[in-house]
Amino acid sequence: MKKLIKYILLLAVLALVYVVYTNYPRLNMIAGYSAKNMASSVFLADRSFEFTDSIDNSFTPINGAADEINEKEKSATASVYGLLTRKAIYRDGLGAVLVPKGADENEAYLKPRRNRSDSGLAFPFGDQEQKDSIMEKVDYSMLQTAVDRMFSNNDLKQTRSVLVVYKDQIIAEKYANGFDKNSKLSGWSMTKSITATLFGILQKQGKLNVEDKAPVESWKDDERAEITINDLLHMNSGLEWEENYKEISDVTKMLFLTDNMPKIQEDKQLIGKPNETWNYSSGTTNLLSGILRKQFNSHQEYLDFWYAALIDKIGMHSMLVEADMDGNYVGSSYGWANTRDWAKFGLLYLHKGNWNGEQVFDPSWVDYVKTPTNGSDGEYGGHFWLNAGGKYPDVSKEVYSANGFQKQRVFIIPSKDLVIVRMGLTNGEDIVDFNAFLRDIIKSIQ
């Protein structure tokens, strides 16, 4: 009997070792997400540890991590069952970043120089409140019903904000408890649309042409040399990439295990033909961020450009785009801003690049990002999502949007002069009915 018990215990230990060994990479991902998101939420978005721990980091499997924060050094650590611990630090101007073991956490770093001066104008061209006014063509009762429905059953939907802007006028604005117009919210992959816009700006300035071959030195002597910037902007490069957040994949390795995010996609091989193989890839966007960096003579110029040419220029002063350990902006995923500032970005596109009289990018750039990618069935353009394929059947096919994880959205509806923002923490595919949401808001505009 004793031998049998010892045998059973040995088998149990071996089984435990096997489970830990095979799941260790997942533990790295879980702890990495939890620590990074905790540091960003507390030190960037000014939320409390308790709020972040009980809400933002409470979904499976991230809730398997135990978090701690150090207010003095502005850091967060996350441990999964005591088997693996990850640490994220907050760097002023660059946001939170996971640090590898042995890294110098106090190493000097450059940060972007910002111009947050207030224009003194009302929203959207400034941060002052708009004068109260009633728009004659708006059925406010119908509009409010559509907005309120997005907050119904909010324990499940977890909508945090909705903002509707019609003819540059805020006609509806609502926030969940604990949030307001100043709350910074992660746009996740909406940041991709920010990254793409910078290429439109550089093209207007005559500093690059998106039809040119991608300037990647390591590709010059192989078949990848034929990939253009346009292919990358349309997620149609033919490069290998797995975008799977539920498993250890290319994207989770990039976000949680690497110091230099542009390098991950750069090192991938060609498995399809450029402009014929659409494949959504966060790695591609971070490669584009790396390509942007090469357009400047110094790292400081690269850091400043994102804000001077776009973000601060249109008054998105709450926005911060986080960087990796090597100082590359994580253009795929890590942009934070308040809801009104996300709306300003949508309004820039609604106005075809004209911001209060200044042309930030050429009007033709809007047509460019709305051109469907080959193979996407009309769902995707130049780092924007499209309704050209009829994803939202009760809404015009002209609608396009910046989309992000957990159902972040900035919808642009040109014919109705509308920009609609929805921010939240929704985990699940069919919880939010955007078709009905958009349909009912559009109906409220006579």
Side-chain angles (χ1 to χ4, degrees), residues 321-336:
V321 182
E322 297 177 290
D324 66 19
M325 279 295 289
D326 284 0
N328 303 295
Y329 286 122
V330 186
S332 68
S333 315
Y334 289 162
W336 295 70

Side-chain angles (χ1 to χ4, degrees), residues 214 216 219 222-225 227-228 231-232 235-242 250 262 264-275 277-281 283-284 287 291:
V216 180
W219 295 355
D222 62 44
E223 57 188 351
R224 296 174 297 178
I227 298 171
T228 65
D231 295 330
L232 296 171
M235 297 287 188
N236 214 346
S237 65
L239 291 169
E240 179 186 14
W241 187 264
E242 183 185 10
D250 293 326
I264 304 300
Q265 181 73 93
E266 178 184 338
D267 290 344
K268 293 294 182 179
Q269 296 304 304
L270 203 65
I271 60 172
K273 292 183 179 180
N275 201 33
T277 318
W278 179 60
N279 183 34
Y280 184 80
S281 164
T284 291
L287 175 58
I291 289 172

Side-chain angles (χ1 to χ4, degrees), residues 24-25 27-36 66-68 76-80 84-89 97-101 252-253 255-259:
Y24 197 78
L27 301 186
N28 223 327
M29 181 185 77
I30 293 167
Y33 181 105
S34 193
K36 160 66 181 62
D67 298 309
E68 295 181 2
T77 56
S79 176
V80 186
L84 184 147
T85 300
R86 299 293 304 278
K87 183 176 184 179
I89 60 173
V97 64
L98 290 164
V99 292
K101 289 182 179 179
T252 54
K253 289 176 183 176
L255 292 176
F256 306 119
L257 296 175
T258 186
D259 300 341

